[in-house]
Amino acid sequence: MATTFLFLLLSAIFIAKAQQGQSIVNPGSFLTPTTTTTTNSSWPSPSGRYAFGFYKQGNGYVVGVFFAGILEKTVVWTANRDDPPVSAAVTLNFTSDGRLVLQSAQGTTKSVAVPGETASSASMLDTGNFVVYNSDNQSIWESFQNPTDTLLPTQQLFYDDVLDSSVSESNQSTGRFRAIMQQDGFIALYPIGTPYYIEYGYWSKGIQGPRLNATLNLDVDGHLYLANGNGIVTISAGGNSTKGLLYRLRMDDDGFLRLYSYNTNQNGDWDVTWSADSIGKCDPKGLCGLNAFCVINDQQYNCTCLPGFAFVDESKRTLGCERNFTVDNCKEGTYVMEEAANTVWENDTYSLPLFSSNLEDCKISCLQDCNCEAALFKDGACRKQRLPMRFGRRQSDSSVALIKVITSTPSTNRTMTIERKKELRVDILIVSITLVAFAFIVLAISGFVIYRSHVSKHENVSNMGKFVDEDVGPRSFTYVELEKMTDGFKEELGRGAFGIVYKGMIGNGQKIVAVKRLEKLLADREREFQTEMKVIGKTHHRNLIRLLGYCHDGPNRLLVYEYMCNGSLADILFTPKKKPSWDERRGIACNIARGILYLHEECMPQIIHCDIKPQNILMDENRCAKLSDFGLAKLLKPDQSQTSTNIRGTRGYVAPEWHRRNCPVTVKVDVYSFGIVLLEIIFCRRSVDSNLPEEEAILEEWVYSCFECGELDKLINDEEVDKRQFERMVKVAFWCILEEPSLRPSMKKVLLMLEGTADIPVPPNPTSVISMI
Ligand SMILES: *[C@@H]1O[C@H](CO)[C@@H](O)[C@H](O)[C@H]1NC(C)=O
Ligand SMILES: *[C@@H]1O[C@H](CO)[C@@H](O)[C@H](O)[C@H]1NC(C)=O
Ligand SMILES: *[C@@H]1O[C@H](CO)[C@@H](O)[C@H](O)[C@H]1NC(C)=O
Ligand SMILES: *[C@@H]1O[C@H](CO)[C@@H](O)[C@H](O)[C@H]1NC(C)=O
Ligand SMILES: *[C@@H]1O[C@H](CO)[C@@H](O)[C@H](O)[C@H]1NC(C)=O
Ligand SMILES: *[C@@H]1O[C@H](CO)[C@@H](O)[C@H](O)[C@H]1NC(C)=O
Ligand SMILES: *[C@@H]1O[C@H](CO)[C@@H](O)[C@H](O)[C@H]1NC(C)=O
Ligand SMILES: *[C@@H]1O[C@H](CO)[C@@H](O)[C@H](O)[C@H]1NC(C)=O
Ligand SMILES: *[C@@H]1O[C@H](CO)[C@@H](O)[C@H](O)[C@H]1NC(C)=O
Ligand SMILES: *[C@@H]1O[C@H](CO)[C@@H](O)[C@H](O)[C@H]1NC(C)=O
């Protein structure tokens, strides 16, 4: 009885306010989805044109603002648009303590408008703006300031404001396209979820002059324009004085921004007055979803799947396509490359494009690459891609998309063909290597001849100057010469296991060098020292430091190297400010592997580094990694003490077999150390860090435990990394650090796995000795 009285009272107030041109809603008011004799489902604006309240969506109800006075109930704003619709048993309650909440029959509440402070009243204005006020009558929340997909006359988009399309006409959840008023004064359209880069946008219009604070405006006469302090840029001219025309601008679910008008005198349909011009129906990127492309039939767009794919939902073709088979490993089964001609796609290649190839080469290249799932071929360039493929559309264009498609399930015949292919590739490799080697020999001989003639012409060039061009191996220096070069061993560059490094100059200050003074050297190894220097001096590889000269003068043993201005890998890896990007780190790992591979397989006699660690990897001016201190381990005096120094190498990086008796030391010790360094490169931290919690202190144990639980992802600290590459690299590292040397891969295999050309089986626990091969 009391409630009924309250209703009557409230209604009386409501009507009174409405007569003043504003319909005030006060705390204590409420709405229900269906109108009954005692309750309403919405609060109308004074003229009744707009209303705030419940409207039907699917089988449920949603709260929003809509055109009420016209035949078509058109939604212009939706509260909590991504929440599922509610049942008929809820109440929209403007509570006495000033909150606007949806209240279920069970009593749970959900906020509808979220003002920062307590609301004293609310009002549905005739502009279509629903406003919430505080006790001082100040607006504290407006639907105009929180637009969904529609902009109404007198509403403005300020910079960074967006209109996000809805899923469809009948579903107001967030769809796939966005219009944003950019800070640069452009109103631009993008697929939702892409960065605001030019390559993702597909339409824009901007204003000249001072671009800050540009706004997008719509006037009641349908004039749509951009404005800043300086002037305006008209997008759609209005000026229709005919009374009874309503306008709205909406970001539509097909990716177009359109201005609609409605003639209330005719009660017809909404007409399109203007739409984002100069773009085609298929231009909104991603219109057809993933792995699908857009085609135009009879001026309408339609979606088509890539070969081998089927629609996720045939009745909703824009949801994209998926494969109806799973691919775990490209070796299982027979694959062919199918073509989707005249289609353009997002260029998202994971490798450098292969140029001057033909379509067949491109297909073969993708078939042989287990990472390759598709390729884009255009104008002789082959770009290998992974799935999903995005932003596809048909266009008369020379580009062809190639998709890897399975044609039969695993069979033994397949393995044979693959192996035959591999043999073929090895053949090609051997021939190419021979040719390249031959070319190098010719080059070297001619270079030497030219050098000789050059030298004979410049007899007066000093010894030092001549040394700079030296190409025939390291030079022998006297101690006095080196003392002069380093200005009396003045500037120290660093200290390592083998001695102290000083900065020096040669050729009258033309070239900076690093001079290393060796310690702990065996006194009676004169011949061996020289032999070793000759071996090291002959090494020539872009990932190895060049030995320029050496000195064996009396008791002094010094080495002269090229100078690396960017310090050591340890320096850049463990200094947060210098931390290299993921791609750079991956490059560094491959370069180190190449350097070690050269020492292991291309040097006669073979060189085992024995002390691979970030401090011994130096970075040149292009931040290209170069190994240093290789070939020196043999010359070191074995220490007699019981500490870690009786093991060559550095604690933390040494392979376990050093600790075992009668266990031969092979190249696999370097593979082990490389594995530890690789983990450090991946995670940019030291392999042992006692400052961290106990379970994280030892890098390889921690990473392995995460790997085992399938939780590798949590180790990526919001860094931009390619997850597949990341996982590959971690797996390679685990293979390298296996306890049992024979199970560790060769450096050749390591490099192939790092480069993505060889498969990586799941690594066993590093401490287990059970053979997994
Ligand atoms: C429902 O709204 C109408 C006006 O639209 C008003 O006359 C009526 O009193 C309202 N009913 C209640 C219960 O608030
Ligand atoms: C609206 O679309 C969203 C997203 O696609 C979906 O989750 C939701 O179920 C849809 N709602 C209705 C009522 O169909
Ligand atoms: C509205 O909320 C208030 C406070 O939470 C409550 O007392 C009242 O019963 C609610 N009204 C309705 C109709 O649910
Ligand atoms: C709030 O605004 C209404 C209508 O504009 C006015 O009638 C009322 O006096 C104002 N109240 C206060 C406290 O300013
Ligand atoms: C832009 O707007 C902000 C606040 O709205 C204001 O402080 C600033 O001065 C404006 N800048 C220009 C260039 O108008
Ligand atoms: C104004 O509106 C009328 C009625 O819809 C239409 O016929 C006319 O073309 C419009 N004029 C302009 C300039 O938009
Ligand atoms: C798209 O194409 C398919 C097959 O050609 C056809 O069945 C379907 O009706 C088309 N859809 C539209 C929206 O044109
Ligand atoms: C996959 O889809 C293709 C084409 O739509 C069809 O021919 C093939 O039978 C399907 N395969 C499976 C396993 O469903
Ligand atoms: C494709 O992307 C690669 C790598 O980002 C880039 O080098 C290449 O220029 C791009 N090609 C085209 C046609 O955009
Ligand atoms: C495997 O190869 C043999 C002989 O080359 C052939 O007879 C057989 O049909 C092949 N099997 C499959 C599954 O392709």
Side-chain angles (χ1 to χ4, degrees):
M1 194 59 200
T3 1
T4 323
F5 177 72
L6 189 66
F7 285 147
L8 291 174
L9 193 70
L10 281 174
S11 316
I13 294 168
F14 178 81
I15 290 158
K17 294 279 184 183
Q19 276 158 357
Q20 291 168 11
Q22 201 179 8
S23 37
I24 299 291
V25 183
N26 287 306
S29 312
F30 60 89
L31 297 171
T32 54
T34 47
T35 305
T36 65
T37 47
T38 52
T39 60
N40 274 338
S41 66
S42 63
W43 294 313
S45 69
S47 68
R49 176 127 299 154
Y50 293 96
F52 173 90
F54 288 100
Y55 65 88
K56 208 162 167 49
Q57 178 169 304
N59 298 322
Y61 296 88
V62 178
V63 172
V65 176
F66 46 88
F67 282 97
I70 62 177
L71 217 61
E72 267 194 59
K73 203 175 190 179
T74 307
V75 177
V76 297
W77 181 81
T78 307
N80 306 324
R81 68 192 300 200
D82 291 320
D83 287 356
V86 294
S87 75
V90 298
T91 316
L92 179 68
N93 190 351
F94 192 179
T95 63
S96 46
D97 58 350
R99 293 171 300 130
L100 203 57
V101 293
L102 265 180
Q103 203 159 4
S104 71
Q106 291 80 38
T108 57
T109 60
K110 167 107 198 171
S111 191
V112 169
V114 194
E117 45 189 309
T118 305
S120 290
S121 63
S123 182
M124 181 70 243
L125 305 183
D126 260 338
T127 54
N129 194 7
F130 183 73
V131 188
V132 179
Y133 303 94
N134 65 9
S135 53
D136 296 333
N137 244 9
Q138 285 166 328
S139 143
I140 50 174
W141 188 92
E142 296 182 22
S143 63
F144 269 17
Q145 286 168 359
N146 300 274
T148 51
D149 63 351
T150 302
L151 189 79
L152 291 172
T154 73
Q155 187 176 1
Q156 285 181 304
L157 276 194
F158 294 92
Y159 74 75
D160 286 348
D161 283 350
V162 299
L163 298 178
D164 283 347
S165 72
S166 296
V167 168
S168 67
E169 202 74 41
S170 56
N171 183 342
Q172 298 290 317
S173 297
T174 307
R176 290 175 298 153
F177 299 99
R178 165 169 292 179
I180 175 168
M181 185 64 237
Q182 299 185 149
Q183 296 191 11
D184 63 2
F186 276 80
I187 173 84
L189 309 184
Y190 298 91
I192 288 178
T194 57
Y196 303 127
Y197 296 152
I198 203 149
E199 60 259 43
Y200 297 114
Y202 56 88
W203 180 87
S204 68
K205 193 130 199 152
I207 186 163
Q208 302 293 317
R211 289 173 158 177
L212 284 172
N213 294 4
T215 52
L216 179 70
N217 305 266
L218 178 60
D219 284 351
V220 284
D221 65 352
H223 185 201
L224 179 67
Y225 60 97
L226 292 166
N228 58 12
N230 219 34
I232 67 164
V233 164
T234 294
I235 297 175
S236 174
N240 199 329
S241 57
T242 314
K243 285 268 188 262
L245 270 187
L246 305 176
Y247 291 93
R248 67 185 163 101
L249 179 76
R250 189 173 68 176
M251 184 69 219
D252 281 335
D253 57 20
D254 63 353
F256 276 72
L257 187 63
R258 292 191 182 92
L259 179 63
Y260 291 90
S261 65
Y262 184 91
N263 193 333
T264 49
N265 302 322
Q266 290 171 355
N267 254 343
D269 256 340
W270 284 97
D271 293 324
V272 177
T273 305
W274 168 89
S275 86
D277 40 17
S278 71
I279 53 171
K281 289 253 161 44
C282 275
D283 284 350
K285 291 183 175 160
L287 186 57
C288 282
L290 300 177
N291 304 316
F293 58 93
C294 181
V295 295
I296 293 187
N297 287 333
D298 298 333
Q299 319 235 312
Q300 283 304 315
Y301 77 88
N302 201 341
C303 297
T304 307
C305 286
L306 279 171
F309 286 74
F311 287 107
V312 174
D313 181 347
E314 178 69 40
S315 64
K316 291 188 195 130
R317 290 176 153 235
T318 56
L319 290 183
C321 307
E322 58 191 5
R323 267 200 293 227
N324 56 4
F325 58 89
T326 55
V327 187
D328 290 336
N329 180 332
C330 76
K331 277 192 183 156
E332 313 231 327
T334 315
Y335 293 83
V336 293
M337 298 302 291
E338 291 210 6
E339 298 176 19
N342 297 323
T343 53
V344 293
W345 299 86
E346 178 188 21
N347 170 23
D348 187 20
T349 181
Y350 61 86
S351 62
L352 285 176
L354 313 168
F355 284 106
S356 66
S357 52
N358 60 32
L359 193 64
E360 287 310 307
D361 293 341
C362 188
K363 285 184 182 176
I364 291 170
S365 167
C366 185
L367 282 173
Q368 288 176 345
D369 181 347
C370 286
N371 284 312
C372 182
E373 293 172 304
L376 299 180
F377 182 78
K378 187 182 180 187
D379 302 335
C382 178
R383 294 190 170 82
K384 294 195 270 184
Q385 310 238 343
R386 293 198 187 92
L387 294 175
M389 300 279 280
R390 297 204 296 177
F391 306 161
R393 67 195 151 90
R394 173 153 294 158
Q395 198 178 47
S396 44
D397 196 79
S398 62
S399 54
V400 183
L402 300 167
I403 316 300
K404 197 182 266 183
V405 173
I406 197 164
T407 57
S408 78
T409 35
S411 74
T412 44
N413 292 18
R414 177 62 194 161
T415 11
M416 282 168 58
T417 49
I418 279 189
E419 264 157 27
R420 223 177 296 135
K421 262 190 200 135
K422 272 198 180 151
E423 274 165 27
L424 194 73
R425 288 190 66 197
V426 169
D427 291 349
I428 294 170
L429 204 70
I430 290 171
V431 172
S432 349
I433 287 174
T434 318
L435 283 176
V436 169
F438 180 71
F440 266 112
I441 291 167
V442 171
L443 215 69
I445 291 171
S446 45
F448 185 73
V449 170
I450 291 166
Y451 163 75
R452 275 294 163 206
S453 59
H454 182 80
V455 166
S456 55
K457 272 189 220 143
H458 300 81
E459 287 291 327
N460 57 343
V461 174
S462 78
N463 257 358
M464 301 289 195
K466 216 161 56 176
F467 173 77
V468 178
D469 298 325
E470 191 68 84
D471 219 352
V472 271
R475 222 200 87 175
S476 161
F477 285 90
T478 64
Y479 187 73
V480 177
E481 273 177 304
L482 290 181
E483 202 166 30
K484 216 161 79 191
M485 270 162 61
T486 56
D487 202 359
F489 300 102
K490 208 165 101 194
E491 194 177 339
E492 199 181 303
L493 289 174
R495 280 163 189 265
F498 299 99
I500 303 170
V501 188
Y502 299 93
K503 192 169 179 173
M505 296 277 191
I506 54 174
N508 298 327
Q510 281 170 8
K511 186 173 173 135
I512 306 174
V513 291
V515 178
K516 174 169 269 188
R517 196 189 192 138
L518 299 179
E519 290 165 351
K520 291 196 266 176
L521 220 60
L522 291 172
D524 56 348
R525 293 272 175 96
E526 195 79 4
R527 280 176 70 99
E528 204 176 315
F529 179 78
Q530 288 198 42
T531 320
E532 192 67 11
M533 285 312 107
K534 294 229 165 73
V535 172
I536 298 170
K538 274 190 218 135
T539 59
H540 241 295
H541 190 274
R542 66 185 289 267
N543 300 120
L544 299 179
I545 289 274
R546 273 202 68 194
L547 180 70
L548 301 176
Y550 58 92
C551 161
H552 57 111
D553 200 355
N556 300 303
R557 300 285 178 276
L558 296 102
L559 304 171
V560 182
Y561 289 108
E562 49 180 341
Y563 172 73
M564 295 289 118
C565 60
N566 268 324
S568 75
L569 177 63
D571 191 18
I572 68 158
L573 216 49
F574 307 138
T575 311
K577 257 191 288 171
K578 299 186 186 170
K579 183 179 164 183
S581 72
W582 169 254
D583 282 337
E584 202 180 340
R585 301 214 296 282
R586 196 168 155 260
I588 290 171
C590 289
N591 279 335
I592 300 170
R594 287 186 194 110
I596 304 174
L597 174 64
Y598 176 88
L599 294 178
H600 286 183
E601 300 196 1
E602 286 165 73
C603 289
M604 261 324 266
Q606 186 183 50
I607 297 176
I608 305 177
H609 190 299
C610 295
D611 197 13
I612 290 169
K613 58 177 175 176
Q615 289 77 6
N616 281 342
I617 296 156
L618 303 180
M619 312 302 291
D620 73 6
E621 67 272 20
N622 302 318
R623 297 237 269 188
C624 174
K626 290 176 190 254
L627 282 174
S628 74
D629 278 359
F630 49 88
L632 298 185
K634 277 191 208 175
L635 303 169
L636 262 190
K637 209 188 289 184
D639 212 306
Q640 300 307 308
S641 73
Q642 284 302 305
T643 64
S644 62
T645 45
N646 67 347
I647 296 156
R648 284 174 188 166
T650 306
R651 198 193 200 114
Y653 302 93
V654 293
E657 61 265 35
W658 285 113
H659 301 273
R660 288 187 217 132
R661 281 179 193 284
N662 305 325
C663 187
V665 167
T666 66
V667 289
K668 295 296 181 69
V669 301
D670 285 351
V671 177
Y672 182 92
S673 309
F674 175 76
I676 298 290
V677 173
L678 182 56
L679 283 176
E680 292 184 317
I681 293 173
I682 298 170
F683 295 99
C684 281
R685 56 155 279 199
R686 291 174 199 279
S687 72
V688 181
D689 188 344
S690 48
N691 293 330
L692 291 168
E694 202 185 341
E695 69 273 18
E696 291 180 28
I698 296 174
L699 182 60
E700 75 254 38
E701 288 178 16
W702 182 47
V703 176
Y704 194 81
S705 68
C706 294
F707 176 77
E708 228 171 6
C709 312
E711 289 177 346
L712 268 187
D713 278 7
K714 82 172 187 197
L715 299 180
I716 311 170
N717 296 325
D718 55 56
E719 201 190 2
E720 284 264 335
V721 308
D722 180 332
K723 287 228 178 82
R724 294 172 63 156
Q725 279 176 6
F726 172 79
E727 211 192 323
R728 280 186 86 84
M729 283 179 61
V730 171
K731 285 205 279 189
V732 173
F734 285 134
W735 277 107
C736 290
I737 60 172
L738 290 180
E739 188 95 10
E740 173 54 48
S742 63
L743 291 182
R744 293 176 211 148
S746 67
M747 278 320 287
K748 192 180 216 148
K749 192 79 200 278
V750 167
L751 189 59
L752 288 175
M753 293 194 291
L754 281 179
E755 288 175 335
T757 32
D759 289 308
I760 312 174
V762 174
N765 190 323
T767 50
S768 80
V769 216
I770 308 148
S771 171
M772 299 294 287
I773 292 169

